[in-house]
Amino acid sequence: MDDDEEPLESNSKDEDDTELTPKDSDDALYCEAEAIGTVEKEKPLKEDSETDLEIEDTEKFFTIGPKELYLEACKLVGVMPVSYFIRNMEEPHMNLNYHGLGPRGTKAIAIAMVSNTTITKLELEDNCIMDTGVICLVQMLQENYYLQELNVSKNDIGLEGAKVISEFLQRNTSSLWNLGLSGNNFNEEAIDLFCQALSINYLIRNLDLSHNQISDTGGEQLGQMLNINVGIQVLNLSWNHFHTQGAVALCNGLRNVTLMKLDVSMNGFGNEGALALGEVLRLNNHLTHLDVSGNDIGNEGVSRLSRGLESNEGLQVLKLFLNPMNMEGAVLLVQAIKRNPKSKMEELDISNVLVTEQFVRMLDGVCAVHPQLDVIHKSVQGFSAKKSTFLMANPMKLIQSYADQNKIPVVDFFQRLNPAGTVKMPVGEFRKVMVQQNKVPLNRYQVRELIRRLEEEAGMVNF
């Protein structure tokens, strides 16, 4: 720590004795901020708290400028102001990831955010916020109805912080719909608290609980919650500790009609978990994205997943990367899609599986029936370097050449292929029209490269 920062630590007030639960009354949100120049005025003892945002004059929040309010809050808690926050406090997206805020820096941000009406997305990943900082954020959220997205991943929040967040979620009093809680050492006890809250809170639509300590018991709790919750649309549970028992229990809740994207990669579902997922795919046509990469699923498990794909009418993306399957499993998956005329599959990721030219020929036939489909696999056995170079000829150069010959801008070429005539298009639809158009013939590999270059956000290309 720099010499000029050492005095800040002396301002800390018995953090170990801090009360870790927010007050029930909304009146708990007070402002410690006095008018500039009167900060040194003697304060009541309760203002020693590291967690309460004591606001003696709430009207001041709307009369003092946002920059001045934040600077005053920084003086009050004894931290250096974050210049990035000052420069961007009128922007809708505030990214303060990796700024080393700590609990007191977070408190200063929370005080400034109480009356902020422009920031709708606040990112605070890896700032050592801990549970005391979470209390300040929750108190702010009880007053701020403009903030919609909050990321507090990798902040060592732990069980006490989970209690604070779950109690807040049960109140259903904010506009928050996107909550990032990755990497916070949450165990089954913490997950149980969240599941209780989310059994009555249907406002959260996007929830990230990846990189935590959730094992089989947590899988059971999450499965029960998903049977009830009708709000969550995107759920990330990757890099946890699910095994067969937890995987099966979680899948029992996946008949949920609102969940659209599920990431359970890097867990331990195994073949039995894959069987449960296959049953989910057979019955659930609402799930569009499923990532089960790195789950110890072999050909036996893939066979069970394939049975679900044969009748599924909703899934668009299935990721199976880093599973111990081989080309036999790849054939089962592709044939399952071929047998399903109503399949909406757009991407199948088996990129660790080495395939043969015979498999590629079979895949060409399947893609003729499902032109929106792209199967990502490892390099093809027996392909010469010359043939690979031909297959991967730069698609943008080919399109540019066509545009030059016809004296049109490249963007016009793309827009004419889009029924909507706009510069944006869903990836699956774009892949389909690019494969089917004959002005600039492209193979599947070239279309994939084109999408890689044009994809602006997940699922959308921008010309």
Side-chain angles (χ1 to χ4, degrees), residues 12-20 50-51 130-132:
S12 178
K13 304 293 194 300
D14 298 324
E15 288 187 15
D16 291 339
D17 296 329
T18 299
E19 183 181 351
L20 296 179
E50 290 290 330
T51 58
M130 299 189 288
D131 45 17
T132 50

Side-chain angles (χ1 to χ4, degrees), residues 292-305:
V292 284
S293 302
N295 266 281
D296 197 29
I297 298 173
N299 288 341
E300 179 186 351
V302 167
S303 173
R304 296 171 175 184
L305 267 175

Side-chain angles (χ1 to χ4, degrees), residues 307-365:
R307 294 171 194 168
L309 286 176
E310 289 181 3
S311 58
N312 183 278
E313 300 177 19
L315 195 67
Q316 298 172 10
V317 176
L318 175 60
K319 295 181 180 291
L320 284 162
F321 177 59
L322 287 179
N323 280 294
M325 56 178 288
N326 57 27
M327 197 179 70
E328 179 185 341
V331 169
L332 290 172
L333 291 165
V334 171
Q335 287 182 339
I337 296 171
K338 179 182 180 180
R339 285 193 289 267
N340 183 356
K342 295 183 179 180
S343 174
K344 290 186 170 60
M345 280 292 297
E346 296 177 3
E347 180 183 327
L348 174 61
D349 185 351
I350 49 172
S351 46
N352 62 304
V353 178
L354 185 66
V355 300
T356 63
E357 287 195 60
Q358 183 180 1
F359 175 87
V360 172
R361 287 194 293 272
M362 178 194 70
L363 184 56
D364 287 338

Side-chain angles (χ1 to χ4, degrees), residues 394-409:
N394 191 324
M396 282 304 298
K397 285 186 177 179
L398 297 175
I399 293 170
Q400 182 68 63
S401 176
Y402 172 86
D404 291 344
Q405 290 172 13
N406 290 272
K407 298 180 179 179
I408 61 171

Side-chain angles (χ1 to χ4, degrees), residues 57 165 170 173 198 208 299:
D57 182 4
I165 294 172
Q170 289 187 56
T173 56
L198 293 169
D208 185 355
N299 288 341

Side-chain angles (χ1 to χ4, degrees), residues 156-280:
D156 197 23
I157 291 173
L159 180 59
E160 294 302 322
K163 290 177 181 177
V164 174
I165 294 172
S166 62
E167 288 172 7
F168 165 70
L169 291 176
Q170 289 187 56
R171 295 193 189 103
N172 275 314
T173 56
S174 81
S175 301
L176 208 61
W177 61 265
N178 186 353
L179 184 57
L181 297 170
S182 174
N184 275 301
N185 298 315
F186 294 142
N187 56 18
E188 277 71 23
E189 191 174 352
I191 295 305
D192 184 44
L193 292 170
F194 289 134
C195 288
Q196 289 179 36
L198 293 169
S199 294
I200 58 176
N201 180 315
Y202 303 153
L203 300 177
I204 299 297
R205 302 199 303 271
N206 191 330
L207 179 63
D208 185 355
L209 286 169
S210 62
H211 291 271
N212 280 295
Q213 311 296 322
I214 312 172
S215 58
D216 289 342
T217 302
E220 295 172 5
Q221 294 161 344
L222 287 162
Q224 292 169 7
M225 179 272 291
L226 288 171
N227 264 325
I228 301 170
N229 184 284
V230 291
I232 296 177
Q233 298 176 9
V234 181
L235 179 60
N236 189 345
L237 298 172
S238 62
W239 291 94
N240 276 287
H241 303 297
F242 297 116
H243 293 91
T244 300
Q245 180 183 341
V248 172
L250 177 66
C251 289
N252 287 335
L254 294 183
R255 298 180 187 184
N256 182 303
V257 296
T258 55
L259 188 65
M260 299 175 65
K261 297 183 179 181
L262 176 65
D263 186 348
V264 288
S265 59
M266 303 305 167
N267 281 286
F269 272 48
N271 290 332
E272 291 302 315
L275 172 62
L277 281 172
E279 187 65 11
V280 169

Side-chain angles (χ1 to χ4, degrees), residues 88-112:
N88 295 279
M89 55 175 43
E90 298 302 320
E91 298 295 326
H93 180 192
M94 178 61 68
N95 187 341
L96 293 174
N97 294 339
Y98 318 111
H99 272 72
L101 295 175
R104 288 184 295 163
T106 304
K107 180 176 181 177
I109 296 290
I111 290 174

